[in-house]
Amino acid sequence: IIERTGQPLSGWEARVREHVLAYPLDERRILAGRALGEQEALVAVRELLESTHRVERTFLFTDVVRSTPLVAEMGDEAWARLLAWHDRALRGLFSESGGSELDHAGDGFAVAFTEPEEAIRCAIAIQRALAAQRRAHGFAPAVRIGVHRSEAVVLEGAYRGVGMHVAAR
């Protein structure tokens, strides 16, 4: 909308355009789909920008190592039981350590912590729980754990930004 006026972008308008282009495509479509005039669009974008804020968080990601061959070797029913134990155990540890679960897909989790020490304590607790499971039952899956501290943007209750992508890698 701003570019269609044919006028050079002011400092504020250029920043708004930059921020809008940084949003995920679905959010840009919502703004574009409103069929607003230039001033209404600027107000809508300003409101959207004001609803975001940057925070420092420590993100912890987990993933069962080589889960596909493990499922093939164990069988679906044994895998389902193991995964149920894994999910219960990890969720309990996330909660005890002050983490907030952000996502769970397959055998992996994404969790946010306010303090880095909480995430590190949680990672250690996960490894201890896996070791205890191995001692008690002769087996526990190997779990990769990544911990990364970064700035993130909170938009509509969800963490977004480069920090999240770096942490997931």
Side-chain angles (χ1 to χ4, degrees), residues 2-159:
I2 296 168
E3 290 178 326
R4 280 193 236 146
T5 65
Q7 302 296 319
L9 299 178
S10 70
W12 164 248
E13 291 169 333
R15 285 193 307 280
V16 166
R17 181 181 182 278
E18 207 174 285
H19 285 292
V20 168
L21 293 177
Y23 289 131
L25 187 56
D26 289 345
E27 292 173 22
R28 282 189 267 156
R29 284 186 183 139
I30 289 168
L31 286 173
R34 290 183 179 172
L36 301 175
E38 181 179 341
Q39 288 307 313
E40 290 100 350
L42 284 172
V43 169
V45 171
R46 188 185 309 249
E47 288 172 359
L48 183 61
L49 292 175
E50 289 171 355
S51 73
T52 67
H53 61 282
R54 294 184 178 278
V55 295
E56 282 282 322
R57 290 292 182 268
T58 301
F59 300 102
L60 180 145
F61 289 82
T62 69
D63 174 52
V64 173
V65 176
R66 298 183 40 79
S67 58
T68 302
L70 188 57
V71 174
E73 185 178 323
M74 295 179 72
D76 292 339
E77 290 177 21
W79 171 254
R81 286 191 302 276
L82 177 66
L83 195 58
W85 169 82
H86 166 272
D87 290 357
R88 276 191 316 277
L90 269 61
R91 281 188 169 123
L93 295 169
F94 301 151
S95 178
E96 288 172 19
S97 301
S100 299
E101 184 178 327
L102 304 175
D103 193 19
H104 176 254
D107 54 45
F109 285 96
V111 183
F113 293 85
T114 304
E115 299 300 325
E117 296 81 9
E118 297 169 336
I120 298 300
R121 275 195 297 276
C122 185
I124 292 167
I126 291 168
Q127 292 301 323
R128 287 183 176 152
L130 293 167
Q133 178 74 2
R134 278 186 205 96
R135 283 192 301 277
H137 301 282
F139 176 79
V143 175
R144 265 186 296 263
I145 302 172
V147 177
H148 180 74
R149 178 91 174 156
S150 69
E151 184 178 77
V153 173
V154 179
L155 177 61
E156 297 177 1
Y159 295 101

